Amino acid sequence: MKIEELLTHTGEWLRGEGPSANIVMSSRIRLARNLAKTPFPSRSTKKDLETTLNIVEKIMVKVPFLKGATLFRMNELDQVDRQMLVERHLMSHEHASNPDGKGLLVSTEEIVSIMVNEEDHLRIQVMRSGLNLTEGWDIINTIDDTISKEIDFAYLENWGYLTSCPTNTGTAMRGSVMMHLPALVMTKQINKVLAAISKLSFACRGFYGEGTQASGNFYQISNQVSLGHSELDIIQNINGLIRQVIEQEEQARQALLVQNRPMLEDKICRCWGLLRTARIISSQEAIELFSMVRLGIDTGILKDVNHKALNELFIVIQPAHLQKIEAKKLNSFERDTKRASLIRQKLGGKDV
Amino acid sequence: MQCDICGKKKATVHLTEIVDEQMSEMHLCEECARQKSSQMEQQFGLADLLAGLSQTTPMVKESKEGMLKCSDCGLNYEDFRKFGRLGCSQCYVSFKENLSGLLRKIHGSSHHLGKTPYALKAENPVPVSSSAALLPSENVEGLKKQLQIAIAAEDFEKAAMLRDKIKGLENG
Ligand SMILES: [Zn+2]
Ligand SMILES: [Zn+2]
């Protein structure tokens, strides 16, 4: 697959369906794995890094869910290409900024990706739509089992999987859930909820899209502890917490609808109108408007748009995507113009 | 609004950070936010934990730690403390004593309860007679490797079990 082919579709996990898709945008499971006998990437020689990449290339054909997958070598891609992979949530920003010896394996529907030679030799990631960590775990567990038949992983019985950073040691698993919590923000309850989450040693970031502008209504919640609990226990803990947050958000949405329906309708419809008519728009503004439109879909106030269309826009309005679509470098002003026209097109706005 | 870190560029990223139940808001430019987010991702309080750890360690140990070095990759413990990254799987054995406390501080436990790599599932008792059907690392060589690791990690219970198994295979 050539990298441009990614532009013809969006990841399967952005289809906007699945459990609690009205509040949970997506779920991600990540496993870190290292080869037992090769120094971790930060202390690997150039030759070590190349050997690790070649091993991955050789075994990928045997791994389920990776049929037809592509291995991108970072130093064969230019900066915009690499940034595009970051914008698609397939890899970290760190992986793009220092390309030597690094690779990225991407499955056809972008459900699975494997960063090779990031901080650890392998960073396996599975993305699912909605609240679906359990399904994500089933997939990643199968992939990990298959790879572990081919590769000796760094592992100690008492400490589990050994990782470059001791915060990942043990299961080396991180489960993250991207939540959309506009009503908790609007009713000023979000800080209370976030404080409760952090008390339970979960991480919460009011931060959407690494390297792009953020919106306050999207929050990514993930486990911090990876040692001393089984993978399924960790997932159950996250699920339990997320369900509570979902309930709170649902109550807050109800409260807004009951007490303030005309104001909520006005706010949502204005945002919808802005998106369909604006000529110049920053990604920060766009994401804030998307958030309101999303709430409009979930409350039944807006009927001519769905999650999938909106989710796709989240990805393609980012700087590298805009430049790949136009196939040329764009300055900030050109991007804001192109972004606005893409959004109008996608949301059925009128070009006068 | 200007960036809280560099104070130069326009703040476009608004971040909520919670440390010790204290919430703070940060307004950052794109560049500083990137740095900040990768720091948070990677180091979640690690620097603090590492610093805290050295404060509670007596001075005598301090000088011993200064010379502590991984037998495989050559990483100094001092460098690990500075950057928070280990160099290879053997580092976990070389720095075993220090890491044990650190892992407990980070995770509240230092005992793995998650899955086991496929090759090591061979520890489940296997009838010696079916040696032809053994998994790759269930052979004597694989078990000897595991034995070395177990001894290095001072996991004597496991080492004894592996030793018995190797004996069984060699005699069978
Ligand atoms: Zn800055
Ligand atoms: Zn080492």
Side-chain angles (χ1 to χ4, degrees), chain A residues 42-175:
Chain A
S42 66
R43 291 186 82 77
S44 273
T45 61
K46 247 186 158 163
K47 216 179 137 211
D48 289 335
L49 295 176
E50 189 54 34
T51 309
T52 306
L53 269 169
N54 290 337
I55 291 173
V56 172
E57 189 163 39
K58 213 177 87 189
I59 63 168
M60 61 185 262
V61 290
K62 301 182 189 173
V63 180
F65 303 101
L66 289 181
K67 205 168 173 238
T70 309
L71 179 66
F72 295 107
R73 282 165 197 261
M74 285 304 122
N75 54 13
E76 290 170 7
L77 299 178
D78 69 23
Q79 196 261 329
V80 174
D81 288 344
R82 298 198 298 268
Q83 186 55 36
M84 185 176 114
L85 295 170
V86 177
E87 290 176 358
R88 295 181 85 81
H89 297 239
L90 293 168
M91 62 184 219
S92 65
H93 189 265
E94 164 61 27
H95 208 54
S97 56
N98 190 1
D100 282 340
K102 293 185 162 78
L104 178 76
L105 195 60
V106 182
S107 77
T108 48
E109 293 192 287
E110 296 175 53
I111 295 167
V112 186
S113 67
I114 303 180
M115 284 191 276
V116 186
N117 292 329
E118 208 240 25
E119 184 180 301
D120 297 298
H121 290 133
L122 302 179
R123 283 278 178 105
I124 313 167
Q125 163 185 298
V126 171
M127 300 287 296
R128 301 308 289 145
S129 185
L131 179 59
N132 226 334
L133 288 170
T134 320
E135 202 179 281
W137 167 250
D138 288 342
I139 295 174
I140 211 165
N141 191 26
T142 312
I143 293 171
D144 177 53
D145 277 344
T146 315
I147 298 177
S148 93
K149 286 177 197 170
E150 308 289 332
I151 294 178
D152 258 349
F153 284 143
Y155 177 91
L156 287 174
E157 194 176 73
N158 51 338
W159 286 347
Y161 292 90
L162 308 179
T163 51
S164 166
C165 182
T167 55
N168 294 315
T169 310
T171 59
M173 184 190 83
R174 187 111 30 231

Side-chain angles (χ1 to χ4, degrees), chain A residues 33 36-37 39-40 43 83 93-94 119 137 141 144-145 148-149 152 154-167 169-171 191 194 198-199 204-207 210-214 224-231 284, chain B residues 12-16 18 21 23 30 33-34 37-38 40-42 44 46 73-75 80 84-89 92-93 96 99-100 102-103 106-107 109-121 123 145 149 153 155 158:
Chain A
R33 294 290 184 258
K37 291 197 203 109
F40 298 154
R43 291 186 82 77
Q83 186 55 36
H93 189 265
E94 164 61 27
E119 184 180 301
W137 167 250
N141 191 26
D144 177 53
D145 277 344
S148 93
K149 286 177 197 170
D152 258 349
Y155 177 91
L156 287 174
E157 194 176 73
N158 51 338
W159 286 347
Y161 292 90
L162 308 179
T163 51
S164 166
C165 182
T167 55
T169 310
T171 59
N191 291 350
L194 295 183
S198 78
K199 248 189 208 170
C204 184
R205 288 168 202 132
F207 193 37
E210 204 184 340
T212 61
Q213 284 86 351
Q224 283 300 344
V225 166
S226 57
L227 187 63
H229 301 270
S230 73
E231 291 85 356
Q284 168 76 22
Chain B
T12 51
V13 177
H14 310 282
L15 198 67
T16 311
I18 301 166
E21 297 170 36
M23 192 161 59
E30 207 170 309
R34 264 181 204 157
S37 79
S38 67
M40 288 203 313
E41 184 84 45
Q42 292 166 2
F44 178 68
L46 188 60
C73 73
L75 181 79
F80 164 65
R85 294 294 179 282
L86 294 155
C88 73
S89 53
Y92 278 87
V93 180
K96 183 172 177 280
L99 283 178
S100 184
L102 180 65
L103 287 171
I106 297 171
H107 300 282
S109 162
S110 61
H111 192 72
H112 177 57
L113 288 176
K115 69 182 285 190
T116 308
Y118 182 82
L120 296 179
K121 285 181 192 151
E123 285 166 21
K145 221 182 333 169
I149 296 173
D155 192 347
K158 188 175 163 196

Side-chain angles (χ1 to χ4, degrees), chain A residues 96-329:
Chain A
S97 56
N98 190 1
D100 282 340
K102 293 185 162 78
L104 178 76
L105 195 60
V106 182
S107 77
T108 48
E109 293 192 287
E110 296 175 53
I111 295 167
V112 186
S113 67
I114 303 180
M115 284 191 276
V116 186
N117 292 329
E118 208 240 25
E119 184 180 301
D120 297 298
H121 290 133
L122 302 179
R123 283 278 178 105
I124 313 167
Q125 163 185 298
V126 171
M127 300 287 296
R128 301 308 289 145
S129 185
L131 179 59
N132 226 334
L133 288 170
T134 320
E135 202 179 281
W137 167 250
D138 288 342
I139 295 174
I140 211 165
N141 191 26
T142 312
I143 293 171
D144 177 53
D145 277 344
T146 315
I147 298 177
S148 93
K149 286 177 197 170
E150 308 289 332
I151 294 178
D152 258 349
F153 284 143
Y155 177 91
L156 287 174
E157 194 176 73
N158 51 338
W159 286 347
Y161 292 90
L162 308 179
T163 51
S164 166
C165 182
T167 55
N168 294 315
T169 310
T171 59
M173 184 190 83
R174 187 111 30 231
S176 318
V177 176
M178 184 71 82
M179 304 192 81
H180 182 227
L181 306 173
L184 286 175
V185 174
M186 283 154 109
T187 56
K188 302 200 170 23
Q189 297 179 76
I190 190 72
N191 291 350
K192 200 182 67 192
V193 173
L194 295 183
I197 291 171
S198 78
K199 248 189 208 170
L200 299 166
S201 70
F202 286 86
C204 184
R205 288 168 202 132
F207 193 37
Y208 178 73
E210 204 184 340
T212 61
Q213 284 86 351
S215 145
N217 296 339
F218 284 91
Y219 294 88
Q220 185 180 298
I221 297 173
S222 53
N223 64 299
Q224 283 300 344
V225 166
S226 57
L227 187 63
H229 301 270
S230 73
E231 291 85 356
L232 283 171
D233 273 354
I234 294 172
I235 288 170
Q236 256 179 17
N237 282 338
I238 306 175
N239 279 340
L241 176 73
I242 298 295
R243 286 204 190 94
Q244 286 182 42
V245 180
I246 289 174
E247 205 174 298
Q248 303 244 352
E249 169 68 18
E250 254 160 8
Q251 280 172 12
R253 287 182 187 187
Q254 272 312 311
L256 281 176
L257 279 169
V258 171
Q259 292 157 14
N260 259 329
R261 188 170 182 113
M263 275 181 68
L264 189 67
E265 280 178 347
D266 179 67
K267 193 169 166 67
I268 287 169
C269 292
R270 279 168 184 269
C271 291
W272 177 235
L274 254 176
L275 281 171
R276 284 157 41 107
T277 50
R279 291 300 192 267
I280 299 167
I281 196 164
S282 69
S283 31
Q284 168 76 22
E285 185 183 3
I287 285 168
E288 275 166 15
L289 296 173
F290 289 163
S291 167
M292 280 304 108
V293 169
R294 212 184 142 90
L295 183 61
I297 298 170
D298 298 330
T299 48
I301 291 169
L302 292 178
K303 297 200 167 65
D304 301 335
V305 56
N306 58 37
H307 280 162
K308 187 169 190 289
L310 220 50
N311 287 350
E312 277 175 34
L313 278 174
F314 267 105
I315 302 295
V316 299
I317 61 156
Q318 299 173 91
H321 273 80
L322 292 174
Q323 297 182 69
K324 288 300 281 187
I325 291 168
E326 287 292 278
K328 64 174 188 207
K329 278 229 170 286

Side-chain angles (χ1 to χ4, degrees), chain B residues 2-10 27-33:
Chain B
Q2 274 170 343
C3 169
D4 289 346
I5 292 181
C6 66
K8 284 179 200 147
K9 286 183 224 154
K10 198 179 145 214
H27 308 282
L28 309 174
C29 72
E30 207 170 309
E31 204 174 303
C32 293

